[in-house]
Amino acid sequence: MSVQLPDMPEFTPRQNAVLEQALKLLVSGGEKALTTSGLARAANCSKESLYKWFGDRDGLLAAMIAYQASKVRTAERSGGRLTADLLREHLEVFGRDLLEVLSGDVSLALNRLAVGQASREGSKLGTLLIEHGRRQIDRRAIGLMDAGRRAGLLRFEDADSAYHTLYGLIVSDLHVRMLLGEPGLKDNARQAKKAVAAFLVLHGLDTNSEGGN
Amino acid sequence: MSVQLPDMPEFTPRQNAVLEQALKLLVSGGEKALTTSGLARAANCSKESLYKWFGDRDGLLAAMIAYQASKVRTAERSGGRLTADLLREHLEVFGRDLLEVLSGDVSLALNRLAVGQASREGSKLGTLLIEHGRRQIDRRAIGLMDAGRRAGLLRFEDADSAYHTLYGLIVSDLHVRMLLGEPGLKDNARQAKKAVAAFLVLHGLDTNSEGGN
DNA sequence: CCGATAAAGTACCGTACGGTACGGTTCCGC
DNA sequence: GCGGAACCGTACCGTACGGTACTTTATCGG
């Protein structure tokens, strides 16, 4: 037996192209539009190949999540000295990136898919999404937290708890509203700025340059 | 044409019983378990009646949301003088109630249903859920905000914005995680306490009795 | 040049669902 | 007692999907 090695890109280029088309179908019309026949037709492949590659429909869905996660790479910026303004800037960039990711149509489609599957027992899709899709951005935020504390710019007891506070301030109920189909999206930059300002009031050490809009 | 009057309970008792059974099916097995045949069998009614009462399947889903919303009644506590400790207490109760509602199995099932339907055009289910399900609790929170400001205990420019901050602090990503099927739920009371403490740091006027765990 | 492997395309099968139609039963107004 | 309305139970229909089998085509090692 051969386990998936990290250098083995999990799928062949052909399979990646099929998964890309699957994501396109999912984004365009939701889960109902993602049928095996439709995907085979759209991707110019045979249903038999789909079942040979991914096992069954659930395997295809899991492969789509893994494929999408493999595409996302966070910048993981981590330069030298960290000043208060630099930390604020990094936090705001993080907030904008987070909102951008969450409001992306592929992300929304995959989250809707996983939420829809969450009722069935043994879904694993939700866990997969949380693990693959969030770990990257979570690690980036936790890194930012720790760097801020090490530089004497942030104070908190638990980095994870502080991160959840930041997350809540940034996202609030926007994610669920978007998942429910609400189109009107507030300005990401403005929302991130506000959230970071509040976060720094809670967990920052200096109070200068406060009250930005 | 006859509009729905508030005293007209929207549905007959028999229909309410059927909707109750429909919610039960939805909670137990997700959307896939909610078939017209299955509901007719479980509720001892005929499919023909279902279609006569609710039009089609979407009408049934909308009726389920309306029915569930009609059951939820927030206490809308609003006594006399408001002190700092009383405001904090009310806010914490609100936070606990909010988390309790969001983590309820019926709420989760309906939200999953609406999210799953959100991809299809003309869903209206998501809007319905937000309107019917959230308006009550939102109004209660906004009322609390305004009362706090009128009593000189809170400061903010926009009550809606302040409420969203409170919401984010309380809920963070818990709602989405639960929608995705994550079972482990933190302690509601502890989470509410923490969130309210942070909220009062941001928008409260006095800083005494701070730092409770 | 040849055998083999992979994959496309198509046809097929079983099932299950949404929606409709029909016969039988209960209940209510008259 | 009677006619009709509401409703239950069941059978039925068309469709569409997940999954499988088969035929044909292409690619590639020897």
Side-chain angles (χ1 to χ4, degrees), chain B:
Chain B
M1 67 178 66
S2 68
V3 296
Q4 299 103 337
L5 295 177
D7 49 3
M8 197 246 262
E10 187 98 34
F11 301 110
T12 70
R14 174 73 178 124
Q15 290 164 6
N16 282 338
V18 171
L19 292 174
E20 187 68 37
Q21 189 64 42
L23 284 178
K24 225 174 230 170
L25 284 177
L26 183 69
V27 167
S28 74
E31 179 177 7
K32 203 188 151 195
L34 186 64
T35 67
T36 53
S37 304
L39 175 58
R41 202 177 317 119
N44 287 327
C45 74
S46 70
K47 286 172 69 173
E48 200 168 9
S49 299
L50 291 182
Y51 285 97
K52 170 176 297 196
W53 294 335
F54 309 112
D56 56 358
R57 193 169 185 271
D58 289 350
L60 171 68
L61 303 182
M64 289 168 63
I65 291 180
Y67 166 69
Q68 175 65 14
S70 77
K71 286 202 307 185
V72 175
R73 279 286 167 268
T74 58
E76 190 68 46
R77 263 287 304 116
S78 174
R81 289 294 302 148
L82 200 58
T83 68
D85 285 342
L86 207 51
L87 174 63
R88 175 189 293 264
E89 175 67 19
H90 280 173
L91 288 174
E92 288 177 355
V93 169
F94 168 78
R96 283 199 297 271
D97 287 356
L98 176 59
L99 288 174
E100 185 121 2
V101 166
L102 294 185
S103 62
D105 48 5
V106 178
S107 164
L108 285 178
L110 282 178
N111 274 276
R112 291 201 184 105
L113 176 67
V115 166
Q117 283 278 115
S119 352
R120 294 312 268 173
E121 199 58 35
S123 61
K124 283 200 52 176
L125 271 194
T127 309
L128 250 174
L129 239 189
I130 294 179
E131 290 297 314
H132 283 71
R134 289 275 296 273
R135 205 166 33 190
Q136 306 268 350
I137 205 159
D138 284 1
R139 286 165 61 93
R140 172 177 165 194
I142 300 284
L144 215 47
M145 300 275 118
D146 279 333
R149 180 166 61 176
R150 267 187 275 109
L153 297 170
L154 293 178
R155 60 178 162 81
F156 50 80
E157 299 176 357
D158 183 11
D160 204 65
S161 170
Y163 168 51
H164 273 81
T165 299
L166 176 64
Y167 188 100
L169 287 171
I170 293 173
V171 177
S172 188
D173 64 341
L174 288 178
H175 198 191
V176 174
R177 291 182 98 99
M178 290 188 296
L179 287 177
L180 284 171
E182 192 138 319
L185 185 63
K186 302 258 194 171
D187 184 4
N188 284 353
R190 178 179 163 79
Q191 175 78 8
K193 255 183 169 334
K194 265 188 51 182
V196 169
F199 178 76
L200 288 180
V201 170
L202 289 174
H203 292 288
L205 278 185
D206 59 349
T207 56
N208 63 351
S209 75
E210 187 188 329
N213 176 13

